[in-house]
Amino acid sequence: MPHPLLDLAPEVRTALDQGAPVVALESTIVTHGMPHPENVETARAVEAAVRANGAVPATIAVVAGRIRAGLPDETLDWLGTAREVLKLSRADLAHAVAAGLHGSTTVAATMVCAHLAGIRVFATGGIGGVHRGVEETLDISADLDELARTPVTVVCAGAKAILDLPRTLEYLETRGVPVVGYGTDRFPAFWSRDSGLPAPLRLDTPEAIAALIRTQAALNLDGGVLVANPVPEADAIPEGEIGALITAAVTQAREAGIAGKAVTPFLLARLLDLTGGRSLATNIALVKNNAVLAARIAVALHAA
Ligand code: PSU
Ligand code: MN
């Protein structure tokens, strides 16, 4: 029986009933992460990449208070330009559902909904993390605690380089989240392939990641697995080129008094500007790359 507050697209429901591989996708990247029309084009391309690799895509959002897993084309088009859509993290989800609102789901909220639906693998761009200046702001993304409690595997390109990456990794370790570099010994930094920090764990195949996921469940260890998949070399912006621009964007956010949920969307938009659009091309490439790997992990999980 599907959850009473959750609407599964027919294709997603059939796949879940048959035990076929499904990959969850988030929607905050559409409403707050990229400009139109690239946001909708990317969401479609990401769904196509999941399909081409043998899994069914389930993009998650809240529409008029209903949690939807798998969105029809019209809904994705509407999300691409809608202004009345809230950015929902764990703290906002119940309110959006109870009050009948529209909302896009962040990594944290998408994990909650994917778990409700019975979906075990999820692809995004970059997770939220510990923000620079945390000593002053205590700004730590709810994505990190969600990874510690909800058993969904999240495939990302590392954490966004706008964050305090050493503290982000420390926090994940403290909360007991396995962080796997896929085919790399280095923790990737979203636009760049190397944050300068080692990846806590390294695995080189989807099958090895599936074995880790199954063993984590068999040991009754709560929480998810974070897979960090570096952006393809051809699409990367080296840290040496983007580092100063990130520092400038973070300073501008502080000076403009940007806080809370608005911080990440503000920084992504500033970087789009400061890089003359290059950061967006990289963002699109890395999300597609993550969708491919997530589908392969979902297929490997179901093969055993
Ligand atoms: N990945 C992207 N672009 C995004 C995000 C991820 O390529 O916009 C979103 C995710 O939804 C993530 C959120 O959960 O940014 C982090 O927001 P915050 O720092 O407020 O938790
Ligand atoms: Mn935050």
Side-chain angles (χ1 to χ4, degrees):
M1 267 298 281
H3 191 279
L5 299 173
L6 180 69
D7 293 332
L8 301 178
E11 181 193 22
V12 173
R13 185 173 193 156
T14 305
L16 288 170
D17 284 349
Q18 297 176 344
V22 177
V23 171
L25 300 165
E26 61 146 305
S27 46
T28 292
I29 200 166
V30 177
T31 57
H32 294 75
M34 289 184 191
H36 188 266
E38 286 88 347
N39 56 356
V40 176
E41 288 164 10
T42 302
R44 291 229 162 80
V46 164
E47 291 190 345
V50 169
R51 285 184 209 287
N53 287 277
V56 172
T59 303
I60 292 179
V62 177
V63 181
R66 300 289 304 174
I67 301 173
R68 308 265 295 262
L71 302 179
D73 271 355
E74 321 79 85
T75 308
L76 206 51
D77 277 331
W78 164 75
L79 275 179
T81 51
R83 303 233 167 265
E84 66 282 21
V85 180
L86 305 169
K87 173 180 165 187
L88 306 179
S89 190
R90 162 177 277 265
D92 318 292
L93 190 60
H95 171 60
V97 170
L101 305 175
H102 305 310
S104 61
T105 50
T106 62
V107 168
T110 305
M111 289 179 76
V112 171
C113 299
H115 184 49
L116 273 185
I119 303 170
R120 293 188 286 171
V121 184
F122 159 29
T124 182
I127 58 160
V130 178
H131 279 269
R132 298 184 191 186
V134 65
E135 307 88 323
E136 300 278 313
T137 62
L138 207 68
D139 190 350
I140 301 174
S141 173
D143 294 354
L144 300 185
D145 275 349
E146 205 59 52
L147 281 160
R149 67 200 290 180
T150 301
V152 171
T153 294
V154 179
V155 181
C156 68
K160 298 188 196 72
I162 54 178
L163 300 165
D164 183 329
L165 295 180
R167 286 189 168 106
T168 298
L169 283 178
E170 280 295 344
Y171 193 82
L172 287 165
E173 189 202 41
T174 300
R175 299 303 319 274
V177 178
V179 177
V180 178
Y182 179 66
T184 179
D185 296 314
R186 315 298 297 169
F187 186 66
F190 198 70
W191 297 287
S192 318
R193 291 173 57 84
D194 183 358
S195 62
L197 301 164
L201 306 168
R202 173 183 178 149
L203 293 171
D204 293 326
T205 63
E207 291 70 27
I209 295 171
L212 168 67
I213 295 166
R214 272 189 242 111
T215 307
Q216 164 127 330
L219 291 171
N220 287 330
L221 294 168
D222 292 333
V225 169
L226 185 64
V227 177
N229 183 30
V231 61
E233 187 88 60
D235 303 298
I237 309 179
E239 155 65 26
E241 285 171 50
I242 199 163
L245 303 179
I246 292 171
T247 304
V250 170
T251 304
Q252 287 168 9
R254 197 169 299 149
E255 284 169 4
I258 308 292
K261 286 171 179 300
V263 173
T264 298
F266 177 90
L267 292 175
L268 290 175
R270 284 307 300 135
L271 277 161
L272 172 66
D273 229 35
L274 292 168
T275 61
R278 198 168 159 212
S279 67
L280 177 59
T282 302
N283 198 347
I284 292 169
L286 66 84
V287 185
K288 287 189 204 164
N289 190 47
N290 294 342
V292 171
L293 178 58
R296 293 179 63 200
I297 293 169
V299 168
L301 259 182
H302 287 261

